[in-house]
Amino acid sequence: MRYLQASSKLRQLGPSLLSAILFWMAFFPVNWPWLGWLAFVPWLVGIAGQSSKQRLYSSLIFGLCFYGLALNWMRVADIRMVATWAMLAVWAGLFTVILGWVVGKIYDRHPKGGMVLAFPMVIVPIEWMRAYALEGFPWYFLGHTQHDTLPLLQLAELGGAYLITLLVALVNGIFADLWLGEKPECLLSFPLHRKAMGVGLAVTGALWFGYSRLGPTEFNEGTEIAVLQADHPQGIRNSAGAEQVRVEYQEMIRTLFQSHLRPLVLVWPETSYPALVDITDLDNSKWLPEKEKPNGPSQLLGASTIVEPKGEPSKQFNSAVLFDPKGIPIDHYDKIHRVPFGEYVPLKDWIPFINVLAPYDHDYSIAPGERLTRFSLPYSPIPLVFGAAICYESGDSHHFRSLAGGDGKPPVDFFINQSNDGWFHGTEEHEQHLLLLRFRAVETRRPVIRAVNMGISAWVDAYGRVLRPKEISGSPNEKTARIFTITTEELPTGEWGKFKQNTVVLVGPVPKRVNGIPMGWARLQGSWPGFFALGCVALIVFGGKQKARD
């Protein structure tokens, strides 16, 4: 009897565990994107024959297993982050529970529609809600598995990563329906055959659109930017003296100048400048450029900043501060989208013991920024404007769309992303973080330049290509920093890892933006999944009678 019970539970949990492992393998460190097209099939087949209670259980196992594996890199940041890792895995796993329950309800009420209707209809709004609920967690979307399939990646221009999720979910759904066919002749029945043809046409149309939109990488000549990438684990950044960090960055800059490269701007990673920068009066000042460009570059610092208004409490920010070659501040951007526990402790006034999940014992909270800054590239021969995104704002598609004109203001020409990934010690987090920016580049048709402590710093063109750096032969002081220039070739994902946990300086011109769809339509990139959510409600409320299950 016990053997039969164990066998029954294994049959119930086996498909969920298999799907979780297949889905995890579609991402880094394995990075087999083809698994994304079938990873959900075992789970969908399993829940098709289950009761509502069994579906909740199977979906919870799927969610906990997948996110436990996928977020494994969080635990290396700090021993106290193990609890945060577990909490986020449970939080994200709850969305999988909702996914399984709603998919099952629609499948029961509309069995003729099959999984090819139910699964895509539900997973798109579920990912959308996960991206915005509380502070949001827009990582590990089904569509993200196709980041390295450039023709499909171009769909993000029309509907963001959600549209790619929809396409991949359609294929998972039709495979599940084919598997669920009980008789061989069912595979050739007209309704199922028609569905399969429809999915095939959708994939073909997506590939046609992608190939038609792809073009070569082109640069804006004379707009060279240099990115500084140190290799400082967070523990060293916390314990090392400010002077030591300053000396290492100054040595990197000295090595760059010895190579005779002369960029317009030096970009530092997030919070890498080893001093607190006072920006109290910066918003009230006006910078006037000199008629002739001074010797030396401007600098975009990643810095902790402070504002101390008279008669009011001081505030600290995580900022990008642009200085001209003489050290005069031009403008700044203060990070808006803060990371829970990383940059503030949520609900600490309501739940005192929640501080045990924080990586520091002291109050390290920063205030959120209030405006999207549009920086002018100083002394550029071509007038260019860029927007900044700090750290995990790389996952906030709304942030990028707004700067690209979605907020009704003049659009930027490119983006700079500053980040500190020194917490994660060379794990797959570095690659996962970079792949998000491939989607942001295509969604806005604007290139992204990254400066990341411990890597992976990169140039991403408007088609989502990560461009290959080429090392300068005979670079001076190679033991201190290796110098690379950016080429128009694509860097394969298998070589991304070579540029993490290294001290390097990347130098290259700004890639050209590409004319995309009108921003009036592009604003729908972030809202159309909401209509799918309404569709799910309608299918459940106004659908047919639910089938009885044992």
Side-chain angles (χ1 to χ4, degrees), residues 380-422:
S380 171
I382 305 170
L384 292 178
V385 177
F386 68 91
I390 299 176
C391 193
Y392 289 155
E393 287 181 328
S394 55
D396 185 0
S397 58
H398 177 74
H399 179 96
F400 284 76
R401 287 196 308 272
S402 297
L403 284 167
D407 59 358
K409 297 180 181 179
V412 300
D413 298 292
F414 68 102
F415 299 97
I416 291 180
N417 171 232
Q418 297 163 291
S419 187
N420 169 31
D421 286 5

Side-chain angles (χ1 to χ4, degrees), residues 42-285:
W43 175 70
L44 290 172
V45 171
I47 66 172
Q50 293 177 346
S51 65
S52 294
K53 183 177 179 180
Q54 290 172 328
R55 285 169 180 160
L56 293 176
Y57 186 51
S58 297
S59 301
L60 179 61
I61 295 300
F62 179 15
L64 292 179
C65 180
F66 169 70
Y67 288 108
L69 289 170
L71 298 174
N72 181 54
W73 45 264
M74 288 187 65
R75 64 181 178 81
V76 307
D78 185 271
I79 186 62
R80 286 169 288 192
M81 292 295 286
V82 172
T84 308
W85 165 43
M87 186 174 67
L88 183 56
V90 172
W91 165 249
L94 292 177
F95 287 91
T96 309
V97 174
I98 300 171
L99 173 67
W101 185 83
V102 180
V103 166
K105 284 291 183 183
I106 294 177
Y107 182 76
D108 287 345
R109 292 179 180 272
H110 301 273
K112 292 183 179 180
M115 288 298 181
V116 75
L117 167 70
F119 182 52
M121 177 67 75
V122 182
I123 191 172
V124 170
I126 288 294
E127 289 186 347
W128 177 63
M129 288 187 288
R130 179 160 61 83
Y132 292 101
L134 298 182
E135 290 290 341
F137 182 58
W139 287 47
Y140 295 104
F141 289 175
L142 179 56
H144 289 162
T145 62
Q146 304 308 306
H147 72 96
D148 205 29
T149 310
L150 279 182
L152 293 180
L153 182 60
Q154 307 313 304
L155 288 179
E157 177 184 13
L158 300 178
Y162 304 113
L163 187 56
I164 305 174
T165 287
L166 176 64
L167 183 70
V168 181
L170 281 170
V171 175
N172 276 268
I174 196 64
F175 281 161
D177 285 341
L178 291 171
W179 191 339
L180 289 166
E182 296 181 356
K183 298 179 181 180
E185 57 266 23
C186 290
L187 298 179
L188 299 177
S189 62
F190 180 71
L192 190 56
H193 178 63
R194 183 170 60 185
K195 293 176 194 174
M197 288 188 61
V199 172
L201 288 174
V203 174
T204 302
L207 290 171
W208 173 84
F209 173 81
Y211 279 112
S212 68
R213 289 296 289 150
L214 280 172
T217 302
E218 297 181 86
F219 289 131
N220 292 295
E221 298 301 328
T223 61
E224 278 70 17
I225 289 177
V227 161
L228 308 177
Q229 175 181 305
D231 182 23
H232 293 154
Q234 189 62 29
I236 292 178
R237 283 165 55 101
N238 291 341
S239 60
E243 187 59 29
Q244 177 185 343
V245 175
R246 187 194 306 273
V247 167
E248 290 190 24
Y249 273 98
Q250 291 300 330
E251 187 61 34
M252 292 169 63
I253 295 172
R254 188 178 299 110
T255 302
L256 170 64
F257 288 166
Q258 290 173 354
S259 69
H260 305 295
L261 295 172
R262 293 295 179 264
L264 296 176
V265 178
L266 295 179
V267 183
W268 295 55
E270 175 194 14
T271 61
S272 290
Y273 186 71
L276 190 64
V277 178
D278 190 337
I279 57 172
T280 302
D281 298 321
L282 182 53
D283 290 334
N284 299 321
S285 63

Side-chain angles (χ1 to χ4, degrees), residues 424-442:
F424 304 111
H425 304 283
T427 61
E428 65 269 22
E429 184 275 346
H430 299 267
E431 287 90 350
Q432 284 296 139
H433 199 177
L434 174 56
L435 77 81
L436 294 175
L437 290 168
R438 306 184 83 169
F439 290 86
R440 304 294 88 82
V442 176

Side-chain angles (χ1 to χ4, degrees), residues 3 67-68 74 205 224 235-236 248 293 299 303 331 347 368 517 540:
Y3 171 79
Y67 288 108
M74 288 187 65
E224 278 70 17
I236 292 178
E248 290 190 24
K293 179 183 179 300
Q299 298 195 48
D331 207 343
L347 304 176
I517 60 175
I540 293 175

